[in-house]
């Protein structure tokens, strides 16, 4: 068997199972080795049956004396009962609703049983223990047992057995870290680490394996960052001087005072612009923290120095929103243009040409001649073969929303000019250092004073009708409502399965929006104007629906997470979220940020079907906290960075195992990456690994 063999070639993997594995990103044998457990069950304590004590987590080893299925009258459940004996005594064992067990274990078999002991008058009993026939190297019992994230229809045992089947192939995985680094960082060989992460021999083996695999992830990210820094180091950008008097006068003309961190961020940007090395900065600030005005100040400064700016947003609606904001801020001080896939305009300018085509030509000529100080738009800004004259500054809002190809273009066009990227995803500084190793980061971590707090409520299922009544009242008062649906449709009988890292499945996403739309528009609010939005709709269609909603032609908008980003619908006052447990806190926070953008008191209503403790802990934390940074930290702690920051955003997407609180390791990898990057050519294996990795993570 080869590492590159498809998992469907393994024994007991059929079509269905391989499809499910593919959901988890496991397609080939090597993926299995890299599908790491997220925790371990400690079943190492072997106890003779006579010494079993109530409440202990133990493993016993004994011979099956009896085993049979029985039907319980009341619950119509099937109970499997067994009696297992060793030299010291016998214990009763029960399993619920797993009648197939009698096909796997027979009288006379010697088995391991791992689980919790319960004693009653009849003596000790194990309820629903994990079982495994006796063998020298057990995988499911009598050891530190790996527990994996699952998806529907897969079990721990299945994944564990498969991993166990291929674990010896870990020896074939190529060691790509140079010897020097292995020695300097005192790391375990890769093949040992891959073995140890799944089936650790002991605590120390586990610790070293984890350390090695964390190192790998962080090191690649840091190395990549170091390489892009090196690549950029020779490139120059025009110096843009800080025009203090004019900037001050602009700031004092604003109807508000800048917050402290807005001021600091602006200052950091002005400092960068004055250098001849291009600025490469990320401005991170919660929804509504006032990033646009900071972008405007940077563009103002560029304009005053005679340079042109480009301001790009991921959707047409956002682009026109920014266009209008800038016109409000600058009036007629500078000529501002708008360019998206479907529209172009120049503020307060009358085109000489009559025809649409003629005007478009005229528009492009003005850009080419450098007559527009600022052009706002979507990726059309760069994809139409537009040439910019005297371009000094490129600002991109929510860059991670752009596709891979688009980000590549942005990067190319952004070469040799100052570059500012903005994001509303709150990023703790520790994380920013890892994800954006090659960017400098400014953080606005406060909201302007006096914002109305959005009232957040987790709604019990019994109160759903009341919530609908409340929504109706809000619509009567002229407000509009968002309804966000979960990524996945969850079936009742699957509720018990552990679901973590369940990847989004676009067709389910669509399904759940459509069924919710049906329900709301036909049964609950037949008299209201209800629309729907999901990722599978065409771009134009999406824009049309959003602008209908914005213009008040719809009362309710049922949508997937596509409404997450930056749209401003001041009249919307309720954000209702179905299946809230399926979203990360940072993402829920983005949804919540869609409302509360005007004088109207706004509400965020959460609905959940889950009664898992973890889910309710997260949601009640969300109910009580309005600070995006706090939520992001909590999310990181509970779900890890890949989940929080999405798979498209950065190299972080491949963080399966490293943590942000691994500060020492981050420091160590950073130092070693710096040393290594300057003569990477000396290490051909590492060099190749780096290239493969870049391909696999689609870094921009
Ligand atoms: P975001 O960071 O989400 O892009 P915006 O830039 O859209 O936020 O700002 C949200 C609103 O807050 C805008 O109406 C803006 O004019 C206003 N705003 C920005 N800074 C301040 C401030 N310091 N005080 C009061 N309002 C502000
Ligand atoms: Mg914004």
């Amino acid at each position: 068997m080869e590492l590159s063999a498809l998992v469907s070639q393994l024994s007991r993997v059929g079509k269905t199972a391989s499809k499910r594995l593919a959901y988890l990103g496991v397609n080939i044998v090597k993926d299995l080795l890299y599908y790491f457990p997220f925790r371990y069950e400690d079943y190492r304590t072997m106890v003779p049956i006579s010494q079993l004590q109530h409440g202990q987590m133990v493993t016993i080893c004994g011979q099956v004396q009896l085993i049979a299925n029985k039907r319980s009258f009341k619950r119509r459940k099937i109970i499997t009962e067994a009696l297992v004996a060793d030299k010291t005594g016998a214990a009763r064992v029960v399993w619920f609703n797993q009648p197939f067990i009698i096909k796997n274990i027979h009288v006379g078999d010697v088995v391991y049983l791992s689980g919790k002991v319960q004693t009653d008058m009849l003596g000790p009993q194990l309820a629903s223990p994990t079982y495994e026939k006796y063998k020298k190297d057990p995988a499911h019992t009598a050891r530190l047992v790996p527990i994996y994230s699952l998806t529907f229809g897969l079990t721990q045992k299945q994944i564990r057995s498969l991993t166990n089947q291929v674990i010896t192939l870990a020896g074939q995985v190529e060691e790509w870290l140079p010897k020097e680094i292995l020695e300097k960082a005192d790391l375990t060989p890769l093949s040992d680490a891959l073995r140890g992460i799944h089936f650790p021999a002991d605590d120390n083996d586990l610790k070293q394996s984890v350390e090695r695999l964390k190192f790998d992830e962080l090191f690649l990210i840091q190395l990549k960052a170091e390489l892009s820094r090196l690549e950029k180091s020779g490139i120059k950008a025009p110096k843009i001087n800080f025009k203090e008097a004019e900037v001050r006068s602009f700031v004092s003309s604003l109807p508000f005072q800048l917050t402290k961190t807005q001021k600091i961020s602006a200052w950091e940007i002005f400092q960068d612009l004055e250098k001849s090395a291009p600025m490469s900065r990320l401005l991170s600030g919660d929804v509504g923290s006032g990033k646009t005005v900071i972008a405007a100040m940077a563009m103002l400064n560029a304009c005053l120095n005679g340079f042109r700016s480009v301001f790009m947003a991921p959707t047409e609606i956002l682009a026109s929103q920014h266009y209008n904001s800038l016109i409000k801020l600058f009036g007629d001080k500078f000529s501002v243009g708008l360019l998206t896939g479907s529209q172009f305009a120049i503020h307060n300018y009358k085109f000489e040409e009559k025809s649409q085509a003629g005007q478009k030509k005229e528009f492009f000529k003005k850009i080419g001649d450098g007559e527009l100080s600022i052009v706002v738009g979507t990726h059309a800004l760069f994809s139409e073969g537009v040439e910019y004259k005297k371009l000094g500054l490129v600002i991109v809002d929510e860059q991670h929303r752009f596709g891979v190809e688009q980000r590549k273009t942005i990067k190319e066009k952004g070469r040799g000019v100052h570059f500012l990227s903005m994001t509303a995803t709150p990023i703790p500084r520790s994380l920013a250092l890892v994800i954006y190793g090659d960017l400098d980061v400014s953080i606005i971590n406060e909201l302007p004073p006096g914002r109305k707090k959005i009232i957040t409520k987790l709604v019990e299922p019994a109160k759903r009708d009341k919530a609908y009544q409340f929504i109706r009242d809000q619509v009567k008062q002229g407000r509009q409502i968002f309804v966000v649906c979960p990524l996945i449709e969850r079936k009742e009988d699957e509720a018990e399965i552990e679901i973590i890292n369940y990847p989004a499945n676009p067709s389910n996403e669509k399904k759940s929006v459509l069924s919710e739309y049906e329900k709301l528009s036909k049964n609950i609010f037949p008299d209201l104007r209800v629309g729907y939005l999901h990722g599978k709709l065409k771009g134009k269609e999406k824009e049309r629906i959003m602008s209908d909603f914005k213009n008040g032609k719809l009362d309710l908008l049922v949508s997937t997470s596509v409404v997450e980003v930056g749209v401003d619908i001041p009249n919307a006052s309720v954000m209702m979220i179905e299946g809230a447990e399926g979203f990360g806190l940072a993402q829920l926070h983005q949804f919540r940020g869609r409302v509360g953008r005007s004088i109207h008191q706004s509400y965020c209503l959460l609905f959940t079907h889950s009664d898992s403790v973890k889910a309710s802990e997260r949601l009640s934390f969300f109910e009580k906290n309005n600070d995006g940074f706090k939520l992001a930290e909590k999310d990181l702690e509970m779900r890890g960075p890949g989940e929080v920051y999405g798979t498209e955003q950065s190299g972080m997407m491949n963080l399966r195992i490293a943590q942000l609180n691994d500060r020492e390791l981050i420091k160590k990898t950073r130092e070693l990456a710096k040393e290594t990057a300057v003569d990477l050519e000396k290490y051909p294996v590492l060099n190749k690994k780096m290239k493969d990795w870049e391909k696999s993570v689609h870094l921009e």
Side-chain angles (χ1 to χ4, degrees):
M1 177 82 53
E2 301 261 323
L3 287 167
S4 59
L6 293 172
V7 281
S8 54
Q9 290 175 296
L10 295 171
S11 72
R12 279 184 295 173
V13 180
K15 243 196 187 144
T16 327
S18 51
K19 225 185 199 163
R20 286 171 178 160
L21 286 165
Y23 269 146
L24 302 176
V26 175
N27 298 301
I28 59 172
V29 167
K30 191 172 173 193
D31 298 336
L32 258 181
L33 293 175
Y34 272 91
Y35 193 72
F36 302 147
F38 69 97
R39 68 180 180 87
Y40 301 82
E41 206 70 78
D42 189 350
Y43 287 147
R44 287 175 296 182
T45 316
M46 296 282 298
V47 173
I49 289 175
S50 64
Q51 284 171 35
L52 290 179
Q53 275 172 23
H54 185 75
Q56 271 181 319
M57 276 295 248
V58 295
T59 297
I60 60 173
C61 182
Q63 193 173 43
V64 180
Q65 311 287 308
L66 293 167
I67 184 159
N69 283 338
K70 206 176 94 180
R71 191 172 284 274
S72 86
F73 294 120
K74 265 192 235 153
R75 305 258 218 86
R76 296 173 61 220
K77 274 191 176 170
I78 293 180
I79 300 178
T80 307
E81 290 183 328
L83 193 67
V84 174
D86 66 9
K87 276 184 266 171
T88 69
R92 290 165 301 140
V93 185
V94 288
W95 289 276
F96 304 100
N97 267 346
Q98 300 181 59
F100 51 86
I101 287 180
I102 59 166
K103 296 210 180 87
N104 298 339
I105 312 177
H106 305 100
V107 170
D109 286 346
V110 176
V111 293
Y112 282 121
L113 297 167
S114 293
K116 207 164 192 178
V117 185
Q118 295 169 344
T119 30
D120 56 20
M121 277 155 26
L122 299 172
Q125 171 176 294
L126 290 177
S128 303
T130 308
Y131 61 90
E132 183 170 17
K133 277 192 199 166
Y134 175 82
K135 61 165 86 86
K136 209 173 126 264
D137 285 315
H140 310 286
T141 56
R143 56 167 15 270
L144 275 174
V145 175
I147 309 289
Y148 301 88
S149 295
L150 297 176
T151 183
F152 295 151
L154 283 176
T155 66
Q156 291 295 346
K157 254 194 172 162
Q158 250 174 313
I159 295 200
R160 206 179 292 130
S161 307
L162 292 175
T163 310
N164 198 36
Q165 249 186 76
V166 302
I167 198 70
T168 50
L169 299 180
Q172 289 180 26
V173 179
E174 184 177 33
E175 178 59 75
W176 52 268
L177 273 179
K179 232 205 219 117
E180 290 95 317
I181 294 184
L182 286 175
E183 276 166 15
K184 263 190 205 160
D186 191 18
L187 296 170
T188 287
L190 182 55
S191 52
D192 292 350
L194 286 172
R195 232 176 271 128
I197 191 81
H198 295 284
F199 300 105
D202 52 38
D203 293 327
N204 192 41
D205 185 22
L206 178 58
K207 184 166 158 263
Q208 288 184 351
S209 303
V210 168
E211 170 103 358
R212 163 67 209 248
L213 295 167
K214 282 181 172 183
F215 183 97
D216 286 8
E217 287 185 336
L218 293 170
F219 180 75
L220 284 171
I221 293 171
Q222 305 284 2
L223 184 58
K224 163 73 192 160
E226 225 18 69
L227 290 172
S228 8
R229 256 185 209 278
L230 282 178
E231 196 191 309
K232 277 190 239 167
S233 62
I235 300 174
K236 290 217 152 101
K239 279 192 189 184
I240 296 178
N241 296 320
F242 179 36
K243 301 277 186 183
E244 187 169 349
E246 287 93 336
V247 171
R248 275 190 198 285
S249 120
F250 171 78
V251 170
S252 62
S253 76
L254 294 172
F256 47 74
Q257 296 221 312
L258 293 180
T259 61
K260 188 171 152 225
T261 40
Q262 272 179 315
K263 281 187 199 155
I264 295 173
S265 303
W267 174 246
E268 288 168 340
I269 292 168
F270 290 140
Q271 298 248 304
D272 282 0
L273 293 176
E274 288 202 320
K275 292 180 189 141
S276 61
M279 168 168 78
S280 226
R281 183 168 288 277
L282 174 76
L283 176 61
S284 158
D286 209 342
V287 190
S289 61
K291 295 183 291 292
T292 317
V293 68
I294 304 302
M297 287 166 68
M299 290 189 276
L300 168 74
N301 210 36
C303 291
L304 293 170
N305 279 271
F307 289 104
R308 312 289 168 243
S309 306
V310 155
F311 189 7
M312 187 152 125
T315 65
E316 297 209 3
I317 294 172
L318 262 186
S320 14
Q321 218 168 271
H322 285 325
Y323 176 64
N324 291 320
S325 309
L326 291 184
I327 288 169
K328 247 197 224 148
L329 287 169
F330 292 142
D332 286 329
K333 214 184 287 177
F334 307 109
S335 53
V336 183
L338 172 71
L339 174 63
T340 69
S342 66
Q343 39 178 339
F344 61 92
I346 301 173
H347 177 58
N348 267 352
Y349 174 79
K350 223 172 153 279
F351 285 100
E352 286 165 9
E353 298 287 333
K354 287 266 153 7
S355 72
Q356 179 84 359
Q359 292 188 348
K360 196 157 196 183
K361 244 194 193 150
E362 192 180 339
F363 178 85
F364 285 138
K365 182 161 185 310
K366 281 183 95 67
I367 292 182
D369 291 346
E371 285 179 34
L372 300 185
S373 301
I374 298 171
V375 194
V376 188
T378 56
H379 64 275
L381 287 169
F382 286 150
S383 59
E384 302 253 349
V386 206
E387 284 303 320
Y388 293 86
K389 197 170 174 191
K390 291 213 80 177
L391 188 60
L393 175 63
V394 170
I395 301 181
V396 180
D397 199 8
E398 301 294 350
Q399 178 167 212
H400 60 278
R401 298 279 155 189
F402 289 93
V404 175
E405 283 307 308
Q406 292 167 353
R407 278 188 283 173
K408 234 191 209 157
T409 324
I410 295 173
K411 193 181 172 189
E412 275 156 26
K413 297 283 178 176
R415 220 180 280 276
V417 299
H418 295 287
F419 183 79
L420 179 67
S421 176
M422 306 201 294
T423 178
T425 312
I427 299 173
R429 200 172 283 276
S430 62
L431 177 57
L433 277 178
V434 185
I435 303 189
Y436 302 105
D438 59 333
L439 291 182
D440 298 305
V441 180
S442 294
I443 294 178
I444 306 179
N445 64 5
E446 63 202 319
L447 290 183
R451 287 276 163 84
K452 252 202 191 120
K453 221 177 130 193
I454 298 163
I455 298 174
T456 305
K457 274 258 148 27
L458 183 56
V459 184
E460 294 165 35
K463 299 217 170 122
R464 182 174 277 274
D465 288 341
K466 259 194 164 162
Y468 285 146
Q469 190 51 50
F470 176 76
I471 284 174
R472 189 177 283 286
D473 287 346
Q474 287 283 311
V475 174
K476 258 195 202 133
Q477 290 171 39
R479 301 288 81 75
Q480 288 167 286
I481 319 293
F482 283 106
V483 179
V484 167
C485 288
L487 299 170
I488 46 164
E489 190 93 316
R490 201 170 280 189
K491 294 200 196 91
E492 286 300 308
D493 57 350
E494 283 164 331
E496 276 171 281
I497 302 175
E498 203 167 355
I499 304 156
I500 295 149
N501 303 341
Y502 188 81
N505 176 344
S507 63
N508 281 343
E509 202 176 315
K510 181 173 150 190
K511 191 171 116 208
S512 84
V513 163
L514 292 183
S515 59
E516 198 59 28
Y517 167 76
E518 288 279 298
K519 184 180 103 188
L520 292 176
S521 63
K522 293 216 173 108
N523 309 335
I524 318 270
F525 303 118
D527 51 329
L528 302 183
R529 298 164 302 167
V530 185
Y532 69 84
L533 194 63
H534 59 71
K536 285 251 170 116
L537 292 172
K538 293 233 165 64
K540 280 256 163 67
E541 186 73 5
K542 271 190 255 182
E543 301 277 351
R544 191 183 59 74
I545 293 163
M546 273 316 289
S547 66
D548 278 358
F549 191 54
K550 198 172 167 116
N551 299 327
K553 290 186 194 156
L554 295 170
D555 301 310
L556 260 87
L557 183 65
V558 184
S559 164
T560 55
S561 56
V562 293
V563 294
E564 192 181 333
V565 199
V567 222
D568 208 1
I569 315 271
N571 191 44
S573 66
V574 179
M575 167 58 68
M576 169 170 170
I577 304 169
E578 294 286 350
E581 76 282 0
F583 297 106
L585 296 182
Q587 205 180 2
L588 288 174
H589 186 60
Q590 293 296 315
F591 294 142
R592 180 163 62 184
R594 296 301 112 234
V595 297
R597 313 196 123 227
S598 64
I599 50 162
H600 309 299
Q601 174 61 55
S602 294
Y603 305 86
C604 178
L605 306 179
L606 307 170
F607 291 82
T608 173
H609 298 295
S610 161
D611 43 9
S612 104
V613 179
K614 204 171 158 188
S616 68
E617 185 196 330
R618 278 177 56 227
L619 294 178
S620 61
F621 187 87
F622 180 74
E623 220 179 349
K624 293 186 205 92
N625 283 283
N626 255 313
D627 177 344
F629 282 91
K630 251 198 209 141
L631 292 168
E633 293 271 12
K634 181 80 178 176
D635 237 1
L636 283 172
E637 187 189 303
M638 298 192 75
R639 304 197 313 159
E643 280 295 284
V644 180
Y645 294 99
T647 49
E648 281 294 309
Q649 187 147 347
S650 65
M652 210 49 160
M653 68 189 81
N654 265 20
L655 268 202
R656 290 153 184 256
I657 184 167
Q659 303 271 323
L660 292 157
N661 42 21
D662 293 325
R663 284 170 217 257
E664 276 309 302
L665 200 56
I666 289 171
K667 222 173 113 201
K668 189 149 86 176
T669 50
R670 204 179 185 75
E671 279 161 16
L672 287 167
K674 272 199 175 126
E675 285 175 27
T676 316
V678 280
D679 45 15
L680 186 59
E681 297 307 321
K682 250 175 50 190
Y683 309 109
V685 183
L686 174 59
N687 201 354
K688 180 172 173 299
K689 171 78 185 177
M690 188 69 219
K691 296 222 163 83
D692 291 346
W693 181 78
E694 280 180 337
K695 259 188 241 145
S696 75
V697 297
H698 304 296
L699 270 180
E700 70 262 57

